[in-house]
Amino acid sequence: MMKNNETIYLKNRPKIIGSYSIVGPKEGKGNFGEYFDYVMKDDCFNEETYEKAERKMIETAIVGAIDKSRINPKDINMLIAGDLLNQIISSSYAARVFDFPYLGVYGACSTMAESMAVGAVMVDGQYFKNVVCCTASHFSTAERQYRFPLELGNQRPPAAQWTVTGAGSCVLSLSGEGPEISMVTFGKVIDYDIKDVNNMGAAMAPAAMDTMLNHFKNTKTSPDDYDLIVTGDLGKLGSEILIDLMEDKGIKLGINYGDCGQMYFTRSQNMMCGGSGCGCSATVFNSFIMKKLNEKKYKKVLFMPTGALLSTTATQQGDSIPGVCHAIVIESVKS
Amino acid sequence: MMKNNETIYLKNRPKIIGSYSIVGPKEGKGNFGEYFDYVMKDDCFNEETYEKAERKMIETAIVGAIDKSRINPKDINMLIAGDLLNQIISSSYAARVFDFPYLGVYGACSTMAESMAVGAVMVDGQYFKNVVCCTASHFSTAERQYRFPLELGNQRPPAAQWTVTGAGSCVLSLSGEGPEISMVTFGKVIDYDIKDVNNMGAAMAPAAMDTMLNHFKNTKTSPDDYDLIVTGDLGKLGSEILIDLMEDKGIKLGINYGDCGQMYFTRSQNMMCGGSGCGCSATVFNSFIMKKLNEKKYKKVLFMPTGALLSTTATQQGDSIPGVCHAIVIESVKS
């Protein structure tokens, strides 16, 4: 084992045998609209509160992913999930309705990568046969927890991103058919002293750069080795910063690089710098990217969700915004 | 592999090669006072805010555990940590100062078990050689986040528990000397519809029972097979409830059963039902229990931290309090 090597290789290649995505109406009208499994008619999802709607979205995504994996829920060994709400209540309360063990994780908007990475290790090491991974975010719960009361109708600065209302889930298995997870590069917490809570992209870009550089170095690969390199929710500005940072390091990110947040909404939706939130990369991966992998349009994808690890308390106490990013390599099955 | 078996066996038996505990002055005067590595003179730990003090406690515990493990920090492959604060900022901000990957986890007061369980899998599966696990809680940060402003000097009902100000950390390794982790039983989220936020013990006891029953069944062991069976922070009332619940299931918990929260403070400290918080079981395990294991006074310990997965938002919206509990078996090295 290399010293302090952040990349692990999964020799049993856990298979993603099922995935599901559910989003809000605005997200349904975005660029990935046609790929989502379910588009809600309204953000409340027939619940009393937005928080309960987010919880129901997670339950729906988990049930949907298990259903599409065509395995018996009794054969699920574990749920690994997390979200943006304080004490990750959306995930923990959703876990109540399922009869399998639960691990709560928190990596802000990098949570889909964290849950998949831990799940892949559990499966690859043959500790468990089937693990469900899930995460979600909801504009209305995140906005009122992190920023302002929704009733305030606050203006949004140009660097702002829109928290995606959506949940994504997938089932990882030792056996079965589906794209395979071959490598994981775990990220460090990186802080470039960005303090603007309306500019998350700038705060997360350095973490994405650090993980990407380590991944390429450890795996001796380059951007050309992947059909798609996709970060989580750096947004228009953050992804531009990442491209610049990588170029400074001598690595050119070409047309096979994209950012889920930057691509999420259409121009006419005028979402400033794009989408953000755990649900951003989670719903893009568990819909569009999984479809392209299953169709073998993509043979090798480098999936890199990014997270801004702040809280309102930290911000109020003058702290900057640390970022983290984990990288997962998913490959379509050779035929 | 058994269907839906929550227990995993670690054939490489990750070794706990170093552990460290740091607590506040009140905790230092408690029953485990003599066993802690460091007792702070005041809860602020020379920081501007209690939140920054909690963060510094985590940094101190991690550095202390690595130092006692006598390995080079460069050889640490990963940090797995979590805490009670919104967006687990104490852990995530502490992670900034270390040059290894970070996984944030959240299991409320069961977090020490969750971080150790995930870390043990990472090490046992030989994905990483050395993993640091850590968690912490701070009375003053938890009280003002979950309950009332400290200035209010609110009265405490008899069922209340005192959030332990303390951080515990340990280093898990594939090689080296130390007590070994042989099994892990992951817990499900259990909700018995308890809504009294001042009676966490009652909310968590059913989860402890569920995990304990599954553990005994899966491993074909009974209470007599362990020198110590210790739950996290059920407190006086919660541990009584667990004893009753287990007796109803035909399993008698004897004198080898204890609860960290119930045992934490002295009678004269008058802490109602005892200690709670991530730091409760974390500091007891990483001081007293580790010492007894290293001295081989304990040959086999069943460590079962418990977590109440609520948030103020969930409580305000009328939700009950779900509980979770993970069980870890630690054995002293046979000589």
Side-chain angles (χ1 to χ4, degrees):
Chain A
M1 219 169 308
M2 278 172 61
K3 252 193 189 182
N4 212 7
N5 183 346
E6 303 87 2
T7 303
I8 61 172
Y9 302 86
L10 306 172
K11 60 184 190 315
N12 293 318
R13 295 185 157 230
K15 289 112 186 93
I16 306 175
I17 61 172
S19 67
Y20 190 93
S21 57
I22 171 172
V23 299
K26 188 193 295 282
E27 290 70 18
K29 295 188 185 73
N31 290 317
F32 299 101
E34 64 185 287
Y35 297 97
F36 299 128
D37 291 284
Y38 189 89
V39 178
M40 300 183 286
K41 281 182 195 61
D42 72 276
D43 278 4
C44 257
F45 208 12
N46 304 321
E47 291 290 320
E48 297 169 311
T49 68
Y50 294 120
E51 287 73 18
K52 289 181 181 182
E54 182 173 333
R55 178 189 311 175
K56 187 174 169 188
M57 284 160 54
I58 290 182
E59 292 171 10
T60 306
I62 292 169
V63 169
I66 294 173
D67 187 50
K68 284 172 72 181
S69 71
R70 294 213 191 75
I71 62 172
N72 188 327
K74 282 185 165 33
D75 295 327
I76 298 293
N77 304 106
M78 172 176 276
L79 164 65
I80 304 174
D83 56 85
L84 292 174
L85 295 195
N86 300 343
Q87 290 73 55
I88 59 169
I89 47 169
S90 303
S91 304
S92 299
Y93 278 79
R96 291 187 303 186
V97 307
F98 300 103
D99 188 36
F100 31 79
Y102 164 70
L103 284 185
V105 293
Y106 182 77
C109 308
S110 71
T111 300
M112 193 70 228
E114 184 176 348
S115 61
M116 285 173 70
V118 174
V121 164
M122 295 276 179
V123 169
D124 184 70
Q126 301 185 47
Y127 298 101
F128 288 127
K129 195 173 181 306
N130 303 299
V131 173
V132 193
C133 306
C134 186
T135 189
S137 56
H138 191 301
F139 170 78
S140 299
T141 65
E143 191 69 8
R144 66 184 183 181
Q145 173 182 279
Y146 284 107
R147 298 179 186 88
F148 302 101
L150 297 161
E151 296 76 7
L152 195 58
N154 218 67
Q155 279 198 318
R156 308 169 63 75
Q161 292 172 243
W162 185 273
T163 304
V164 163
T165 297
S169 178
C170 59
V171 178
L172 310 184
S173 181
L174 250 182
S175 53
E177 283 287 303
E180 303 176 336
I181 300 176
S182 57
M183 307 171 206
V184 175
T185 297
F186 291 97
K188 300 169 183 176
V189 176
I190 307 291
D191 193 328
Y192 270 31
D193 204 35
I194 303 287
K195 293 189 175 182
D196 178 359
V197 296
N198 283 309
N199 193 354
M200 298 291 186
M204 298 187 286
M209 175 196 70
D210 185 74
T211 300
M212 196 180 273
L213 288 174
N214 286 327
H215 179 78
F216 288 149
K217 183 177 108 274
N218 297 337
T219 61
K220 299 182 175 55
T221 59
S222 75
D224 302 340
D225 295 310
Y226 303 90
D227 301 306
L228 175 70
I229 298 171
V230 63
T231 45
D233 56 350
L234 296 178
K236 288 185 178 62
L237 182 58
S239 54
E240 289 293 332
I241 293 171
L242 175 61
I243 290 168
D244 289 347
L245 289 171
M246 290 302 289
E247 202 160 335
D248 291 347
K249 300 288 180 176
I251 295 176
K252 206 162 174 11
L253 293 176
I255 51 158
N256 61 333
Y257 166 70
D259 177 77
C260 297
Q262 176 251 319
M263 299 183 290
Y264 212 97
F265 296 104
T266 63
R267 259 189 94 75
S268 60
Q269 286 181 293
N270 187 26
M271 290 289 105
M272 283 75 172
C273 272
S276 66
C278 302
C280 181
S281 57
T283 53
V284 173
F285 179 80
N286 289 296
S287 62
F288 174 78
I289 297 174
M290 275 297 289
K291 186 170 192 292
K292 298 296 179 187
L293 280 162
N294 278 317
E295 291 170 350
K296 300 182 174 48
K297 297 250 170 61
Y298 290 151
K299 296 224 168 1
K300 198 173 185 182
V301 171
L302 180 57
F303 181 51
M304 302 182 61
T306 42
L309 303 170
L310 79 165
S311 85
T312 53
T313 306
T315 304
Q316 285 157 9
Q317 294 185 8
D319 276 314
S320 52
I321 305 169
V324 70
C325 173
H326 304 295
I328 299 181
V329 176
I330 306 103
E331 304 183 39
S332 61
V333 189
K334 289 162 195 63
S335 51
Chain B
M1 217 169 311
M2 278 173 60
K3 252 194 188 180
N4 212 7
N5 183 347
E6 302 87 1
T7 303
I8 61 172
Y9 302 86
L10 306 173
K11 59 184 191 314
N12 294 316
R13 295 185 157 231
K15 288 108 187 102
I16 306 174
I17 61 173
S19 67
Y20 190 92
S21 57
I22 171 172
V23 300
K26 188 193 295 282
E27 289 70 19
K29 295 188 186 73
N31 289 317
F32 299 101
E34 65 185 288
Y35 298 97
F36 299 128
D37 292 284
Y38 189 89
V39 177
M40 299 184 287
K41 282 182 194 61
D42 72 275
D43 278 4
C44 258
F45 209 11
N46 305 321
E47 292 291 319
E48 297 169 311
T49 67
Y50 293 120
E51 287 73 17
K52 289 181 181 182
E54 182 173 333
R55 179 190 311 175
K56 188 174 168 188
M57 284 160 54
I58 290 182
E59 291 171 12
T60 305
I62 292 169
V63 169
I66 295 173
D67 187 50
K68 284 172 72 181
S69 72
R70 294 213 192 77
I71 63 171
N72 188 327
K74 283 187 165 33
D75 295 327
I76 298 293
N77 304 106
M78 171 174 277
L79 165 66
I80 303 174
D83 56 85
L84 293 174
L85 295 194
N86 300 344
Q87 290 73 55
I88 60 169
I89 48 169
S90 303
S91 304
S92 299
Y93 278 79
R96 291 186 302 185
V97 306
F98 300 102
D99 189 36
F100 31 78
Y102 165 70
L103 284 185
V105 292
Y106 182 78
C109 308
S110 71
T111 299
M112 193 71 227
E114 184 176 349
S115 61
M116 286 173 69
V118 174
V121 163
M122 294 275 179
V123 169
D124 185 70
Q126 301 186 48
Y127 298 100
F128 288 127
K129 193 173 182 306
N130 303 300
V131 173
V132 192
C133 306
C134 186
T135 189
S137 55
H138 191 302
F139 170 79
S140 299
T141 65
E143 191 68 8
R144 65 185 184 181
Q145 173 181 280
Y146 284 107
R147 298 179 186 87
F148 302 101
L150 296 161
E151 297 74 7
L152 195 58
N154 217 67
Q155 278 198 317
R156 307 169 64 73
Q161 292 173 243
W162 186 272
T163 304
V164 164
T165 297
S169 178
C170 58
V171 178
L172 310 184
S173 181
L174 249 182
S175 54
E177 284 287 303
E180 303 176 337
I181 299 176
S182 57
M183 306 172 207
V184 176
T185 297
F186 291 97
K188 300 170 183 177
V189 175
I190 307 291
D191 193 327
Y192 270 30
D193 203 36
I194 303 287
K195 292 189 175 182
D196 179 0
V197 295
N198 284 308
N199 193 354
M200 298 290 185
M204 298 186 286
M209 175 195 71
D210 186 73
T211 301
M212 196 179 273
L213 288 174
N214 285 328
H215 179 78
F216 287 149
K217 182 177 108 275
N218 296 338
T219 61
K220 298 181 175 54
T221 59
S222 74
D224 303 340
D225 294 310
Y226 303 90
D227 301 306
L228 175 70
I229 297 170
V230 63
T231 45
D233 55 351
L234 295 178
K236 289 186 177 62
L237 182 57
S239 54
E240 289 293 331
I241 293 171
L242 175 62
I243 291 169
D244 290 347
L245 289 171
M246 290 302 289
E247 202 159 334
D248 291 346
K249 300 287 180 176
I251 295 176
K252 206 164 173 12
L253 293 176
I255 51 159
N256 62 333
Y257 166 69
D259 176 78
C260 297
Q262 176 251 320
M263 298 183 289
Y264 212 97
F265 296 105
T266 63
R267 261 189 91 76
S268 59
Q269 286 181 293
N270 187 26
M271 290 289 104
M272 284 75 171
C273 272
S276 67
C278 302
C280 182
S281 57
T283 54
V284 173
F285 178 80
N286 289 296
S287 62
F288 175 78
I289 297 174
M290 274 297 289
K291 186 170 192 291
K292 298 296 179 188
L293 280 162
N294 279 318
E295 291 171 349
K296 300 184 174 48
K297 297 252 168 61
Y298 291 151
K299 296 223 167 6
K300 198 172 185 182
V301 172
L302 181 57
F303 181 51
M304 302 182 60
T306 41
L309 303 169
L310 79 166
S311 85
T312 53
T313 305
T315 303
Q316 285 157 10
Q317 294 185 7
D319 276 314
S320 52
I321 306 169
V324 70
C325 174
H326 304 295
I328 299 180
V329 176
I330 306 103
E331 303 183 39
S332 61
V333 189
K334 290 162 194 64
S335 52

